[in-house]
Every structure is written in structure tokens, then in C-alpha cells.
Amino acid sequence: MKPLLLIDIDGPLNPYGGKPQRRPEGYTTHRMRPSGWTHDKPLRVWLNPGHGEELLALADRYELVWATTWKGEANEWVGPHLGLPELPFIDWPVMHGASPRGTYWKTQYVLTYAAGRPFAWIDDEITRLDREFVEQKHLAAALLLHVDHRIGLVRPDFDALADWAAALEL
């Protein structure tokens, strides 16, 4: 069974923290209105089509899963712009709720979803506390890859994911 690759959108795929009027090189701008977006103006989302190719290349070694507050809407609003097929997603029981020991609210649910399987998780909110919590509570291999929300995923991130999965196969 392949390890899971748990993919957050805002931060890793959409570098929302970048300079507001300067789209990062290689990205295209999309205006979106997912169901949770209640503002008058559509949400500005920057996506790099090359990320879809990179993720599809990793699908040989991973089962790709959305781990985002977009939940299933990632398949409607984001996946098609990246050339991704419909992916399973974590259906968070509670979003932005309480979390154990100062961890990010997603961490506890990531462990529940992984259910003892090896996983790599890309997110811009991962901290040392999340890594420690996962090391203590998850018996299988896990890679928690923090991505800068101003930059998004870059070549070394994809290389680290590929190398980690390859090491699991040894």
C-alpha cells in the first residue's frame, strides 16, 4: 500500500502570503467562490500548473489526498486548474477547533485519517509541536513538510517528497 500524500492548498499550492499585487513567477490568477467564501469579491487564488505535473509524478509512489479546508470543493475549484483527477479528501469533523498540546487543529484529524499508514503532509501551518505530536502518536513513518505561504511549493519540496517515498520502498 502506498503512503498518503496529504495536500493543503492555501500556502503550498496557493502562495497567498506573497506580495498582493505581484503574482509569483509561473503562477496564474484565478477568481473563485467556494461555498465557504462569503465576501463580495471572489477569492484570488494563485496556482502554478506545473505543480499538477509534479503531484501526478508523485502519484506513482503516493496516494494523493486533499488535506485542506476546501475539502471536496478542491476537486471542483483547484484540481482542474492543475490537471489533477478527482482526489479523496479529509472531511474535517471540526475546522479551526481545539487541538491537543498546542498543535495545529488539523494534526489530530490527519492522524485519524492516516489510521496507521505512512504519510507525508504538506502544509504551511506545521510546527515543531505538530512534529513532536506525530512522532509520539503515529507508529508509521511520517514526513511533515512545512511550506512557506509566501512562496508555495518549490523544487526542493518535490525532491524531498520523492526521496522520502523512495526511502520507504527500500
Side-chain angles (χ1 to χ4, degrees), residues 60-157:
D60 290 343
R61 293 197 160 130
Y62 288 97
E63 178 185 332
L64 306 182
V65 177
W66 293 119
T68 173
T69 57
W70 293 69
K71 299 198 293 186
E73 286 189 278
N75 288 313
E76 175 185 349
W77 292 99
V78 176
H81 292 290
L82 299 177
L84 296 175
E86 187 164 322
L87 301 177
F89 61 93
I90 298 176
D91 190 7
W92 314 107
V94 177
M95 289 199 297
H96 310 289
S99 59
R101 298 188 207 156
T103 59
Y104 182 36
W105 68 265
K106 286 183 183 179
T107 306
Q108 61 192 317
Y109 303 123
V110 162
L111 293 184
T112 300
Y113 187 88
R117 284 177 68 180
F119 71 87
W121 175 26
I122 53 176
D123 202 298
D124 61 310
E125 299 284 344
I126 294 168
T127 68
R128 175 187 55 79
L129 295 173
D130 299 298
R131 287 186 180 87
E132 290 171 1
F133 187 78
V134 170
E135 285 176 16
Q136 293 169 1
K137 302 289 184 183
H138 190 70
L139 299 179
L143 171 67
L144 279 64
L145 184 63
H146 178 268
V147 176
D148 187 326
H149 68 283
R150 297 167 298 176
I151 299 170
L153 288 163
V154 292
R155 170 88 263 137
D157 298 324

Side-chain angles (χ1 to χ4, degrees), residues 43-64:
L43 175 64
R44 182 210 72 213
V45 178
W46 287 329
L47 297 172
N48 183 332
H51 287 165
E53 296 166 12
E54 296 282 2
L55 290 170
L56 287 173
L58 289 170
D60 290 343
R61 293 197 160 130
Y62 288 97
E63 178 185 332
L64 306 182

